[in-house]
Amino acid sequence: MGRNEIERGRCSDMLMNEKIKASEVELTGLQGENLGIVSTKEALRMAKELNVDLICLSLATSPPPCKLVSRDEYQQQRVQEKKKERKAAQGHKTKEIRLSAYIEQHDYDTKKRQAERILHSGDAVQLCVRLEKKETQQAKELIEQLVKELGHCGRQEKGIQVSGKQVVAVLFPC
């Protein structure tokens, strides 16, 4: 654990139970209730009585804030935090949905539901209409309509891009 991590109050391995060396801590109970500032010995005694762990949340303040948590709950919370960090580090994936300028209503609804599902999962959607003949106007209108209908779950950062062979719009999750 580096000195900078301690100064910022973040440690990859949180201090637990007897590893907490402060003379007193600001204690939070199992249901999030504030128990005030108590001695570390008293906090450890309470943790043993309740058969839970005493966890130091930050080393940035004095007295350090600590919380009583069950070991299972703490482990589960750490796993969820690591998953979120990994997903944030990866960024958004962009998934492409291809459409035809002359799409039937049922197929349109299916593609719309698929785009909603992708946006709700946290990934971006690239709507792409491949052009065959002089379909540019129909393709652009189709994409505009789809972007408008997906406005509740996605936002468009750039406009609709029209190139020689396709019309594209990218939606990011809200």
Side-chain angles (χ1 to χ4, degrees), residues 53-72:
D53 289 318
L54 178 67
I55 296 177
C56 179
L57 302 174
S58 171
L59 297 173
T61 61
S62 181
C66 293
K67 185 174 184 179
L68 296 172
V69 294
S70 68
R71 186 171 292 266
D72 294 338

Side-chain angles (χ1 to χ4, degrees), residues 77-106:
Q77 186 179 8
R78 289 288 299 261
V79 167
Q80 287 177 348
E81 286 173 5
K82 285 183 181 179
K83 275 185 184 177
K84 284 182 183 177
E85 287 174 13
R86 266 197 311 271
K87 186 149 185 153
Q90 286 178 350
H92 292 293
K93 290 182 183 175
T94 302
K95 299 188 178 181
E96 183 178 73
I97 295 180
R98 293 183 185 169
L99 303 147
S100 166
Y102 300 108
I103 190 169
E104 293 184 17
Q105 187 61 41
H106 171 74

